[in-house]
Amino acid sequence: MPVEPHLAYPSSSATETVLGVTATRLGSADRVSQPRRFVVSDIHGHPEGLLAALREKDLTDQDEAWVGGDAQLWVLGDYFDRGPDGVGVVDLLIRLAVEAEAAGGQLTALLGNHEVLTLGKHRFGAITIQTPQGERSFAASWARNDGQAADQKRLTEHHLNWLMERPGMALVDEHLLIHSDVDVYRQWGSTVQEVNDYLLQALHTSDPETLWSLWSALTKRAAFQGLDGVDAAQGMLAQFGGSHIFHGHSIIGEDEGWPASATKGPKHYAEDTVTAIDGGLFLGGPCLVVEF
């Protein structure tokens, strides 16, 4: 499925006056080029894998510096766990965001469920939480999800503040960007901004049950698959805008029944309204940097 930004241009050059202001319509030869736009997801403690993938797209160089100019990159969450250096991933994203902005580009990192887990483990540890499934704790869930002790030890206030400011959604042209392939986002607000405002409040909570509810909701998956998948995707798009969804979270190889290493590219499904981009980097799959 070709996935391109929604761009509207007049078909020919002409000069016209609107409300007394002379404006020039741009023809095809005069069109201002749009920046390249990319999505990537689920780095899971492997900064070297992300850097290699960014180099292939000419976004970073051999010195790990941003060379993408005005390109725009959205990272769809899950920087921690399952790999050795989640803090290294966060440090890399923070640095590249500064370098991209200085070059006229943009790097925006969204919230994944493992960022919620990282915050929960740091803030609430082994505190018992009453859930509909019984007693739970962030510490136990973090351990089951291959949480890395070195990451918890290296977290600074700067890292924590950055994590608590992560938006959960973005709408770019006709593309709705989210981490998890779930439609629970619809319960958190009627617009992208309302959802992000809700998440900002939830991430700053001092109540472990509130943060656990967020973690639990974002760990679910596959809402856009199966008989009701198209309807679920269309419901998200009708509520938040756009005509296409990018998400990470669900590993393509696991969904398709093949090893992660056999994944060659993103998965387009739900009548081409949804694209999954988690290649399963921590399982030996590709880090998929997908251009719109």
Side-chain angles (χ1 to χ4, degrees):
M1 176 191 72
V3 181
E4 300 178 354
H6 175 70
L7 304 176
Y9 293 104
S11 59
S12 62
S13 266
T15 300
E16 57 186 25
T17 301
V18 181
L19 297 180
V21 177
T22 300
T24 300
R25 291 206 312 264
L26 297 180
S28 58
D30 305 311
R31 293 174 184 175
V32 178
S33 62
Q34 292 291 314
R36 296 185 301 156
R37 291 165 171 163
F38 300 88
V39 285
V40 65
S41 191
D42 295 85
I43 314 306
H44 281 300
H46 289 83
E48 73 291 340
L50 174 60
L51 280 166
L54 295 179
R55 282 196 296 270
E56 289 184 2
K57 299 295 184 179
D58 296 322
L59 295 173
T60 59
D61 63 13
Q62 293 297 327
D63 295 323
E64 304 182 358
W66 179 267
V67 292
D70 66 353
Q72 299 172 357
L73 175 65
W74 280 267
V75 194
L76 306 188
D78 276 9
Y79 314 121
F80 290 93
D81 308 333
R82 309 196 194 285
D85 195 6
V87 168
V89 173
V90 169
D91 285 339
L92 175 62
L93 295 176
I94 292 172
R95 176 174 63 79
L96 289 179
V98 173
E99 294 177 5
E101 183 177 9
Q106 176 184 343
L107 186 155
T108 302
L110 301 188
L111 179 76
N113 58 308
H114 282 262
E115 283 65 70
V116 181
L117 181 59
T118 296
L119 287 169
K121 169 64 168 67
H122 177 83
R123 194 177 300 162
F124 301 116
I127 291 175
T128 298
I129 302 169
Q130 300 297 330
T131 78
Q133 293 75 37
E135 293 185 348
R136 298 289 188 270
S137 76
F138 277 107
S141 191
W142 173 81
R144 285 195 301 272
N145 282 274
D146 296 325
Q148 304 293 303
D151 281 335
Q152 288 287 322
K153 291 178 181 178
R154 293 167 59 202
L155 286 172
T156 66
E157 286 301 310
H158 181 58
H159 295 130
L160 294 168
N161 289 335
W162 184 87
L163 289 172
M164 289 187 291
E165 298 296 323
R166 291 309 89 210
M169 309 180 76
L171 181 62
V172 184
D173 295 329
E174 291 299 308
H175 305 290
L176 183 65
L177 313 182
I178 54 178
H179 172 71
S180 300
D181 45 330
V182 295
D183 57 1
V184 69
Y185 295 93
R186 299 183 66 184
Q187 301 176 21
W188 297 333
S190 59
T191 67
V192 169
Q193 186 60 57
E194 286 182 3
V195 170
N196 287 336
D197 288 344
Y198 169 83
L199 292 173
L200 181 66
Q201 183 177 10
L203 291 171
H204 284 79
T205 186
S206 59
D207 175 25
E209 292 187 6
T210 296
L211 200 62
W212 181 270
S213 294
L214 180 57
W215 152 250
S216 179
L218 289 175
T219 58
K220 296 178 173 60
R221 63 185 76 245
F224 311 133
Q225 300 186 46
L227 295 177
D228 299 324
V230 174
D231 288 343
Q234 293 290 1
M236 286 279 287
L237 294 167
Q239 182 162 326
F240 297 117
S243 59
H244 174 259
I245 296 170
F246 276 114
H247 72 80
H249 188 54
S250 290
I251 299 172
I252 296 167
E254 290 185 349
D255 284 347
E256 297 301 307
W258 60 54
S261 59
T263 297
K264 302 303 181 185
K267 170 187 173 181
H268 310 297
Y269 67 105
E271 297 182 359
D272 281 350
T273 60
V274 182
T275 299
I277 64 168
D278 182 2
L281 177 60
F282 75 93
L283 293 173
C287 181
L288 297 174
V289 179
V290 181
E291 190 165 4
F292 286 20

